[in-house]
C-alpha cells in the first residue's frame, strides 16, 4: 500500500510538528530549575518576591553599606534602586569590580528575615571598561581615525 504524495507530505509535516513540540517541552523542562526572575529592590519591598524562590536582584550598592564579617568571606551590603533598599548577605569572594555606588546583580533568594541571601554576585563595569589585554588600543585607534 502506497500513500499519495499529498498524504506523505501531511505525515511528514505532522511528524515535524510533533518533534518541535517535543523539543520545546524538553527545553522548558531542562530550564525549569535554572529560571530566575529579575527583581528590583522596589519589587521586593512591594512584596513581589517570594521567600525561598530563586531570583536575581539588581540595583546599586548603597554607599557605606558594605560590611565584611569576621569570618573574612561573608559580605553584607545593601542594594538600592533609589526608592527602596534590600539588605544582602553573600558568602564568598566578591568580583573585583564590586564596590559602593556601582551596579550589581545578586543571584539567590529572599530569606524569611527579609535579607536577600546571594549565591552569586555580578558586578557591572562602566561603559568605558577595557580589558587589560587590550591595553590602550581603543584610544590609539580613535586617535588615528581623528588624525586622518
Amino acid at each position: 500500500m502506497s500513500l499519495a504524495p499529498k498524504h506523505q507530505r501531511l505525515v511528514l509535516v505532522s511528524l515535524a510538528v510533533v518533534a518541535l513540540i517535543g523539543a520545546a517541552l524538553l527545553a522548558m523542562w531542562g530550564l525549569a530549575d535554572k529560571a530566575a526572575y529579575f527583581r528590583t529592590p522596589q519589587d521586593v519591598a512591594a512584596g513581589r518576591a517570594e521567600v525561598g524562590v530563586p531570583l536575581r536582584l539588581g540595583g546599586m550598592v548603597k554607599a557605606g553599606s558594605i560590611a565584611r564579617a569576621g569570618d573574612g568571606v561573608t559580605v553584607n551590603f545593601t542594594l538600592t534602586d533609589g526608592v527602596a533598599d534590600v539588605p544582602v548577605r553573600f558568602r564568598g569572594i566578591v568580583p573585583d569590580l564590586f564596590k559602593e555606588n556601582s551596579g550589581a546583580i545578586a543571584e539567590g533568594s529572599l530569606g524569611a528575615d527579609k535579607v536577600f541571601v546571594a549565591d552569586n554576585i555580578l558586578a557591572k563595569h562602566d561603559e568605558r571598561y577595557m580589558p587589560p589585554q587590550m591595553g590602550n588600543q581603543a584610544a590609539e585607534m580613535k586617535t588615528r581615525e581623528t588624525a586622518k
Side-chain angles (χ1 to χ4, degrees):
M1 179 174 132
S2 162
L3 294 174
K6 179 180 175 183
H7 291 118
Q8 287 178 352
R9 285 192 297 266
L10 183 63
V11 168
L12 287 175
V13 168
S14 299
L15 288 174
V17 168
V18 169
L20 285 174
I21 290 172
L25 290 174
L26 280 174
M28 290 172 55
W29 179 61
L31 294 174
D33 295 340
K34 304 291 182 199
Y37 290 106
F38 180 83
R39 300 285 186 214
T40 63
Q42 186 177 7
D43 293 336
V44 173
R48 284 182 243 159
E50 296 179 32
V51 173
V53 175
L55 61 97
R56 291 179 171 191
L57 178 66
M60 301 294 287
V61 179
K62 191 171 185 175
S65 68
I66 297 176
R68 298 189 186 277
D71 62 1
V73 293
T74 302
V75 179
N76 296 305
F77 59 97
T78 301
L79 280 179
T80 184
D81 59 359
V83 177
D85 297 344
V86 174
V88 179
R89 182 181 317 121
F90 174 68
R91 185 174 167 81
I93 299 172
V94 294
D96 291 339
L97 298 172
F98 178 79
K99 59 185 177 185
E100 295 174 351
N101 294 321
S102 66
I105 296 175
E107 297 175 336
S109 60
L110 188 65
D113 56 355
K114 299 298 180 192
V115 174
F116 189 84
V117 179
D119 302 323
N120 191 22
I121 300 290
L122 305 171
K124 182 181 182 299
H125 58 77
D126 65 6
E127 291 77 24
R128 295 170 296 191
Y129 174 75
M130 186 64 60
Q133 294 84 4
M134 294 287 290
N136 204 16
Q137 289 179 348
E140 291 172 3
M141 282 182 61
K142 193 171 187 175
T143 303
R144 273 186 244 136
E145 289 175 7
T146 305
K148 287 182 182 178

